[in-house]
């Protein structure tokens, strides 16, 4: 269950979520010594290198002094890649490791003071001494958890798309870093960085850093995707109309009242709470690797039997779930977002929706009350069918 907003949180160095969100989130960096005391990484450099050999996994290596300066190589890699790397100055970065390692996904439990649908993934980097991806900025918030070894983190100026970059075909490395602070992070230490703050992490020893990154659609993405979504529901005959317009005195002139009609048309279509919620919920729950959602057909009878036999279901780490309330014509209902889709659910099932969203373990004990409810049990079977819930144990 979530903490009250004003409880001091260890993961935030003893400040509350309320203070963190007010003073730091999206505003300024925060260094948190021993955010996770005695942290021991469940993963080693070799495990990460192993993942980078997989076709499904997005991985990169940045070599500061490669065939070209700051050479970028894309995975999947093979054993030869690793045997040919120098002793210093390279970094392996693997995206969305939380999707492949439940132990890594567990770290997200510490961030329950933020909406789950804002979390993007846990990217993990492994670097040898001197390894760095260069000074840069990102357009999203990030918590950088030091998992192994030591890394120096320097922070600098706030940047934007006008900030000068080195000429590089793939990497956005800043041409100019105005350092304001510098810290050496040890295992368990964590650094929060707001979007667009210049930063530069340099490995002191062999080290591993976990980046808990957040999703924030760009305004351009919101505007274009939402407009496309709304347009799907608009028939061709819905058009700009100007019944009762006043006679024009100059036929070449666009008058303020013409624009006013346009504004009314746009706001009528775009400013719709139900459409906004539906699009946003679907967009923010789009899974990164939909191919990893592999379902199984299970009838209600089979589900009951499996649960009776001690089966435990959990949320597939690829599935992204969220819910909200929605106002229908005559009543309030819930809307459940499941990996880019949405469905209306009866209000009496909101407790189940919360259970499903946070589901670490669904078993006969906590599912029993729902198995005799037709809507709830259909939902459970469908979530299993499309792979959002998977059986981990019997
Ligand atoms: C890294 O872990 O080396 C880079 C992470 C970042 O700066 O975003
Ligand atoms: Co960064």
């Amino acid at each position: 269950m979530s903490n009250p907003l004003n409880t001091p949180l260890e993961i935030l160095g003893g400040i509350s979520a309320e203070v963190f969100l007010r003073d730091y989130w999206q505003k300024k960096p925060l260094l948190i010594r021993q955010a996770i005391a005695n942290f021991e990484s469940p993963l080693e450099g070799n495990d990460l290198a192993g993942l980078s050999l997989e076709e499904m996994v997005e991985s990169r290596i940045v070599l500061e002094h490669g065939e070209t300066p700051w050479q970028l190589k894309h995975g999947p890699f093979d054993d030869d890649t690793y045997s040919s790397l120098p002793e210093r100055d390279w970094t392996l970065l693997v995206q969305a490791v939380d999707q492949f390692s439940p132990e890594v996904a567990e770290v997200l439990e510490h961030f329950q003071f933020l909406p789950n649908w804002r979390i993007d993934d846990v990217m993990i980097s492994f670097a040898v001494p001197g390894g760095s991806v260069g000074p840069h900025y990102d357009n999203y918030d990030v918590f950088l958890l030091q998992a192994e070894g030591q890394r120096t983190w320097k922070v600098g100026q706030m940047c934007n798309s006008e900030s000068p970059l080195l000429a590089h075909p793939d990497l956005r490395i800043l041409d100019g870093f105005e350092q304001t602070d510098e810290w050496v992070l040890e295992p368990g230490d964590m650094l929060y960085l707001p979007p667009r703050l210049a930063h530069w992490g340099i490995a002191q020893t062999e080290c591993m850093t976990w980046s808990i990154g957040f999703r924030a659609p760009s305004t351009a993405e919101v505007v274009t995707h939402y407009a496309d979504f709304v347009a799907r529901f608009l028939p061709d005959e819905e058009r700009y109309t100007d019944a009762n317009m006043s006679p024009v005195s100059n036929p070449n002139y666009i008058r303020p009242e013409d624009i006013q009609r346009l504004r009314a048309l746009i706001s009528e279509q775009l400013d719709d709470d139900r459409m906004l919620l539906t699009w946003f919920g679907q967009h923010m729950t789009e899974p990164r690797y939909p191919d990893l959602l592999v379902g199984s057909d299970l009838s209600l009878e089979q589900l009951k039997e499996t649960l009776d036999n001690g089966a435990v279901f959990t949320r597939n780490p690829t599935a992204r779930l969220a819910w909200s309330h929605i106002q229908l014509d005559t009543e309030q209902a819930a809307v459940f977002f499941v990996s880019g889709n949405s469905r209306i659910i009866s209000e009496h099932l909101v407790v189940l929706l919360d259970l499903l969203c946070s589901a670490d373990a669904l078993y006969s004990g906590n599912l029993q009350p729902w198995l005799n409810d037709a809507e709830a049990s259909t939902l459970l079977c469908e979530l299993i069918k499309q792979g959002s819930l998977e059986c981990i144990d019997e």
Side-chain angles (χ1 to χ4, degrees):
M1 222 42 252
S2 56
N3 285 304
L5 271 181
N6 57 5
T7 307
L9 297 179
E10 183 181 324
I11 194 75
L12 295 175
I15 65 170
S16 65
E18 192 171 37
V19 170
F20 174 74
L21 294 174
R22 187 192 65 203
D23 296 347
Y24 298 95
W25 179 247
Q26 304 238 298
K27 293 178 185 155
K28 59 183 185 191
L30 176 65
L31 172 70
I32 306 148
R33 292 286 180 203
Q34 291 306 287
I36 305 183
N38 308 314
F39 181 77
E40 275 186 37
S41 175
L43 214 75
E44 296 188 354
N46 269 341
D47 301 318
L48 202 65
L51 271 177
S52 77
L53 311 182
E54 307 277 341
E55 189 76 41
M56 260 314 286
V57 177
E58 251 176 82
S59 57
R60 293 165 291 158
I61 291 175
V62 177
L63 268 151
E64 186 167 349
H65 312 288
E67 286 156 26
T68 51
W70 300 110
Q71 186 187 2
L72 173 69
K73 294 176 182 231
H74 286 285
F77 300 112
D78 52 32
D79 291 332
D80 289 349
T81 316
Y82 288 101
S83 51
S84 64
L85 286 170
E87 275 183 19
R88 288 188 53 92
D89 305 337
W90 59 265
T91 307
L92 160 71
L93 304 110
V94 180
Q95 219 66 47
V97 182
D98 52 309
Q99 309 270 306
F100 305 101
S101 158
E103 291 87 356
V104 171
E106 266 175 36
V107 78
L108 299 174
E109 293 297 315
H110 292 284
F111 299 89
Q112 289 292 303
F113 59 93
L114 293 162
N116 277 330
W117 47 262
R118 275 283 264 131
I119 296 174
D120 192 18
D121 71 346
V122 183
M123 194 253 311
I124 301 190
S125 68
F126 169 80
V128 292
S132 149
V133 299
H136 67 281
Y137 72 96
D138 301 304
N139 281 315
Y140 49 81
D141 309 81
V142 65
F143 289 91
L144 298 158
L145 173 67
Q146 194 56 29
E148 226 177 68
Q150 278 116 29
R151 184 190 281 268
T152 298
W153 279 104
K154 303 166 189 265
V155 294
Q157 73 276 26
M158 271 292 174
C159 303
N160 59 34
S161 47
E162 313 268 285
S163 302
L165 301 179
L166 295 186
H168 193 289
D170 312 295
L171 293 176
R172 292 164 51 243
I173 300 176
L174 286 166
D175 184 11
F177 182 74
E178 298 155 29
Q179 187 175 324
T180 53
D181 250 316
E182 170 177 329
W183 306 277
V184 177
L185 270 70
E186 307 272 348
D189 293 347
M190 191 168 76
L191 178 62
Y192 163 73
L193 299 177
R196 301 195 314 283
L197 186 76
H199 54 280
W200 190 359
I202 303 161
Q204 297 308 310
T205 61
E206 276 198 359
C207 79
M208 199 185 290
T209 305
W210 294 17
S211 298
I212 295 105
F214 288 77
R215 260 184 199 201
S218 69
T219 306
E221 189 181 338
V222 169
V223 171
T224 53
H225 285 223
Y226 181 55
D228 272 351
F229 176 77
V230 171
R232 277 191 249 149
F233 301 94
L234 293 174
D236 203 35
E237 62 272 21
E238 289 250 6
R239 292 198 168 235
Y240 177 88
T241 55
D242 46 13
N244 303 324
M245 78 161 148
S246 48
V248 298
S249 49
N250 179 344
N252 305 316
Y253 186 66
I254 299 173
R255 300 162 301 175
E257 65 179 81
D258 303 322
I259 296 300
Q260 193 45 44
R261 273 191 205 92
L262 181 69
R263 177 174 295 114
L265 175 154
I266 292 175
S267 9
E268 191 189 328
Q269 297 305 332
L270 298 190
D271 189 9
D272 178 315
D273 282 347
R274 216 172 128 174
M275 288 292 245
L276 275 168
L277 171 63
T278 308
W279 173 76
F280 191 63
Q282 291 185 0
H283 194 72
M284 297 306 275
T285 57
E286 282 288 348
R288 182 184 277 264
Y289 295 120
D291 292 350
L292 293 182
L293 289 170
V294 182
S296 52
D297 254 325
L298 210 60
S299 68
L300 178 58
E301 287 321 307
Q302 288 167 319
L303 172 61
K304 284 182 176 166
E305 201 180 308
T306 321
L307 290 169
D308 283 346
N309 290 337
V312 177
F313 288 81
T314 58
R315 181 171 61 77
N316 179 329
T318 296
R320 292 178 65 91
L321 308 178
W323 70 274
S324 187
H325 278 119
I326 198 160
Q327 189 56 48
L328 302 180
D329 292 341
T330 54
E331 58 189 320
Q332 182 171 263
V335 56
F336 191 30
F337 300 104
V338 181
S339 303
N341 295 297
S342 60
R343 57 189 289 161
I344 305 282
I345 301 281
S346 303
E347 180 68 20
H348 75 279
L349 295 186
V350 294
V351 178
L352 174 64
L353 298 189
D354 237 356
L355 183 68
L356 294 171
C357 288
S358 47
D360 303 325
L362 299 165
Y363 54 100
S364 76
N366 56 7
L367 284 183
Q368 204 58 52
W370 308 105
L371 295 176
N372 292 326
D373 181 297
E375 187 182 350
S377 46
T378 306
L379 177 65
L380 288 169
C381 290
E382 276 179 22
L383 292 176
I384 293 167
K385 187 171 179 182
Q386 41 103 315
S388 292
L389 293 181
E390 51 187 18
C391 189
I392 50 161
D393 208 0
E394 289 203 21

